[in-house]
Amino acid sequence: MRKPRNKTLAAWLAFVGGPLGLHRFYLHGAGDMLGWLLPIPTALGVYGIERARAYGLDDGLSWVLIPLVGFTIAACALTAIVYGLMAPEKWNARFNAGAAPDAPPGRTGWLTIGAVVVALLIGTTVLMSSIVFSFQRYFEHQVEEGRKISQ
């Protein structure tokens, strides 16, 4: 029989280790394909940050890659929020098959709410920053191309 999956731990893993797929491995095991794929956009985004540090913010590839890490972090924060707000009955039915609907691993406590609040604050900030960064670089590029055409 499989060990019960704790909702609080899953929410924190999704927020803190989500870009590395840790929550997926915790909930679905080491064979989970999405868990193995999650580090790819994270690594590409970190590579984009390193390119921006090395070549400056005018590097086109870096402003394409950097948002990948931001969107991955934001998606994992959203996952943490979904896990944290899931009803105990639904959590236990989905991740603790055979357990009572109100079994302790599915209960929502203060640590679970803490994960939801922190994920909401950080996830929203990272998401908005990624969107702003992407659009700023895109519009700066468009203005520069427009100047080239008009000269």
Side-chain angles (χ1 to χ4, degrees):
M1 186 171 169
R2 195 170 92 155
K3 185 178 176 185
R5 302 297 188 240
N6 185 288
K7 178 167 69 168
T8 302
L9 180 58
W12 278 107
L13 281 174
F15 174 65
V16 175
L20 300 176
L22 298 182
H23 65 293
R24 299 285 308 183
F25 297 136
Y26 173 68
L27 293 173
H28 304 287
D32 184 62
M33 187 55 66
L34 188 56
W36 289 108
L37 292 175
L38 270 170
I40 294 172
T42 304
L44 288 172
V46 170
Y47 174 67
I49 292 169
E50 290 303 315
R51 279 189 63 95
R53 292 181 71 204
Y55 303 116
L57 289 177
D58 292 333
D59 178 48
L61 186 58
S62 68
W63 60 265
V64 170
L65 294 175
I66 289 173
L68 290 176
V69 72
F71 294 140
T72 304
I73 291 170
C76 291
L78 178 61
T79 302
I81 293 167
V82 169
Y83 287 167
L85 296 178
M86 192 177 290
E89 299 82 22
K90 188 174 179 183
W91 178 268
N92 286 325
R94 184 170 178 189
F95 296 110
N96 298 319
D102 61 344
R107 291 188 186 149
T108 303
W110 285 108
L111 283 175
T112 314
I113 299 302
V116 169
V117 169
V118 171
L120 183 61
L121 291 172
I122 304 292
T124 304
T125 302
V126 169
L127 178 62
M128 295 309 295
S129 299
S130 298
I131 291 170
V132 166
F133 180 82
S134 297
F135 282 114
Q136 178 185 357
R137 294 288 156 219
Y138 174 75
F139 288 124
E140 286 175 358
H141 176 72
Q142 292 299 323
V143 167
E144 191 62 36
E145 292 299 315
R147 285 185 183 149
K148 288 179 186 175
I149 292 172
S150 66
Q151 291 178 357

